[in-house]
Amino acid sequence: TMQENLNENPSIENENKERASILLSICVPTYNRPKDFERMLRGVLPQLTSETELIIRDDSINLESEEIFKKFADSKINYRYFKGEKIGFDRASLFLADKARGKYVWWFSDDDEMAPGGIDRVLKLIKENSDINFIWANFIVANSGALAVSQSDKFFKDSDEVLDDLGTNIGLMSTLIFKKEAAQPFLNLAQKYIGSAFANMIIVLGIASSSGKSYFLRGPYVICHLLSGEELKTAVLTGNRTMSQMIDKKNKIKNDGFQVYGINFFNIVHEFDGKFSSGSIRRILRTNFASLWRGMLVGWVGGWDTPKGKRWEMFKYYWNFLEFWIAMPLFLMPLWVNKILYKIYKIFFSHRKWVFGENLKSLFK
């Protein structure tokens, strides 16, 4: 099984046995985010068909999300709703995939939206191509028209193209659709990484690096909602976000992103040495580290993170990347120097944004 302790029964369910066999299971773990959960339901529920099911694992401390679901659930759709104690993101994701009755599983986050037409497009694709093992559904960030990956619909030519085209976007939960059967060989390895926040990445990288076709859906079919700094702090303080943030004794966010995105991501990608080319692995790790150290630096300047101890962990894992030699001098400078440099940086890019605004760009065409 994908996860121990699978003897739980759904608190509410509906299954019409006269309907067609289920091809696609939409799997949503949720925890203490009823408003986001409701927004997600409003996008997903109208798109469900007789060939789909919605499976939810709700580990919230109250019944608010379950009551919302009962209000919106339609007796014509297939669904199962599991209410349980908190087992964490990794275990909840694997639990849901294990419970899925569909040939394909679509992991979906409770704080994202599914754009109209997403389910129909995926169903059409898997009906026409039974040899597809992995589908990646493109996304945009809310209030932004920019696609995360600007490509046309296509089959990836090989596993390296999956890694190179998607980069660090590959692990965003709501983009991941896979054939359940193809996940079986990687379940034991996924168990090893429970608690890393990336156990689902084992499944994704494993399937993408194996035989069978992988497909890119341009979409966008997923709309991501990012939290502002204050929203994030509120979410962490109220227990809604626990994966990559913690609270110190002064009720400030202490970011452990380096452990999650620096070390855990690094180790998981390297589990597939030999499955992807060394060049593709190196490129995704370089891209990941480039974002990571910049985020750490901003957190240090902002007063909600510290690089103490992490600087030497950076050396241990990333010393042979050029990005490391760009980052380390900054992290060795006093904080007050970095604050000055950061202010200069913000002034420069604010000015740059004005100079190269869309109206002024037209003058140079």
Side-chain angles (χ1 to χ4, degrees):
T1 60
M2 283 192 176
Q3 189 248 322
E4 298 176 359
N5 189 26
L6 292 180
N7 59 351
E8 300 172 34
N9 296 314
S11 57
I12 51 175
E13 65 180 321
N14 183 66
E15 180 183 6
N16 191 328
K17 298 184 183 299
E18 297 178 357
R19 296 183 179 277
S21 60
I22 296 171
L23 293 179
L24 180 64
S25 298
I26 314 297
C27 297
V28 183
T30 188
Y31 179 70
N32 286 1
R33 291 196 281 193
K35 291 183 180 179
D36 294 327
F37 180 69
E38 180 176 341
R39 182 180 61 206
M40 180 277 301
L41 289 176
R42 288 181 182 275
V44 171
L45 289 175
Q47 298 189 50
L48 295 175
T49 73
S50 61
E51 298 173 300
T52 64
E53 67 171 351
L54 177 63
I55 313 177
I56 293 165
R57 166 120 194 175
D58 177 10
D59 293 348
S60 304
I61 59 176
N62 55 48
L63 297 176
E64 189 172 355
S65 295
E66 184 174 353
E67 292 304 317
I68 289 172
F69 182 80
K70 288 178 179 178
K71 182 174 70 174
F72 287 103
D74 189 325
S75 60
K76 297 179 182 178
I77 66 173
N78 298 305
Y79 61 80
R80 282 178 294 162
Y81 196 105
F82 294 87
K83 191 79 175 71
E85 63 182 24
K86 184 182 177 183
I87 58 174
F89 173 79
D90 289 329
R91 287 189 182 278
S93 300
L94 296 179
F95 172 92
L96 287 166
D98 186 85
K99 290 293 189 181
R101 294 172 296 192
K103 186 176 181 180
Y104 288 82
V105 172
W106 188 344
W107 272 325
F108 211 84
S109 178
D110 62 352
D111 63 344
D112 289 335
E113 284 185 90
M114 186 179 291
I119 290 179
D120 281 346
R121 180 69 181 94
V122 170
L123 286 174
K124 183 174 186 295
L125 183 62
I126 60 181
K127 286 177 183 178
E128 294 175 350
N129 303 275
S130 60
D131 54 351
I132 289 180
N133 281 349
F134 173 61
I135 302 168
W136 194 85
N138 209 1
F139 71 92
I140 58 172
V141 175
N143 303 318
S144 169
L147 290 165
V149 181
S150 185
Q151 300 271 5
S152 300
D153 282 27
K154 67 173 185 178
F155 285 100
F156 292 102
K157 64 182 181 182
D158 55 30
S159 58
D160 281 350
E161 188 172 62
V162 175
L163 217 56
D164 289 338
D165 284 4
L166 301 182
T168 54
N169 291 313
I170 193 172
L172 182 70
M173 185 177 188
S174 300
T175 64
L176 308 176
I177 305 157
F178 60 91
K179 185 181 288 185
K180 183 173 178 177
E181 180 183 22
Q184 294 298 319
F186 308 102
L187 301 183
N188 287 336
L189 186 57
Q191 291 286 334
K192 174 183 172 182
Y193 283 97
I194 283 177
S196 70
F198 284 120
N200 64 336
M201 275 279 288
I202 293 293
I203 305 296
V204 173
L205 293 176
I207 294 174
S209 64
S210 304
S211 59
K213 294 181 179 178
S214 296
Y215 196 87
F216 173 80
L217 275 177
R218 176 182 174 86
Y221 293 114
V222 180
I223 304 168
C224 295
H225 291 264
L226 301 180
L227 297 180
S228 67
E230 281 304 309
E231 287 174 329
L232 178 59
K233 185 173 181 179
T234 300
V236 175
L237 289 170
T238 56
N240 293 344
R241 285 294 178 97
T242 58
M243 182 173 64
S244 62
Q245 288 82 27
M246 298 183 297
I247 301 300
D248 64 17
K249 293 180 180 179
K250 296 181 181 179
N251 277 344
K252 285 188 176 182
I253 296 174
K254 178 185 177 185
N255 187 288
D256 66 342
F258 183 74
Q259 175 66 45
V260 174
Y261 296 102
I263 299 173
N264 295 354
F265 190 86
F266 180 97
N267 290 333
I268 284 171
V269 171
H270 273 300
E271 286 281 0
F272 295 90
D273 287 340
K275 298 292 186 180
F276 299 95
S277 71
S278 58
S280 291
I281 286 177
R282 187 170 178 83
R283 283 189 288 274
I284 193 172
L285 289 176
R286 181 185 63 204
T287 301
N288 182 63
F289 182 63
S291 299
L292 176 69
W293 77 257
R294 287 168 172 81
M296 287 172 59
L297 190 64
V298 171
W300 188 28
V301 171
W304 52 272
D305 193 15
T306 173
K308 184 178 181 181
K310 298 176 186 176
R311 287 176 285 213
W312 311 117
E313 288 292 313
M314 286 168 58
F315 182 85
K316 178 180 177 181
Y317 287 90
Y318 294 97
W319 65 269
N320 60 342
F321 287 83
L322 176 61
E323 285 286 341
F324 170 83
W325 299 101
I326 297 172
M328 187 52 71
L330 292 168
F331 282 107
L332 292 177
M333 291 180 183
L335 177 58
W336 67 267
V337 174
N338 276 298
K339 286 185 175 182
I340 293 172
L341 292 175
Y342 187 58
K343 284 183 179 180
I344 294 172
Y345 166 85
K346 289 203 297 184
I347 291 170
F348 172 76
F349 276 91
S350 176
H351 177 68
R352 184 171 178 263
K353 183 178 180 181
W354 177 80
V355 170
F356 295 100
E358 291 301 321
N359 291 335
L360 293 179
K361 277 184 184 178
S362 64
L363 298 176
F364 298 96
K365 290 183 179 179

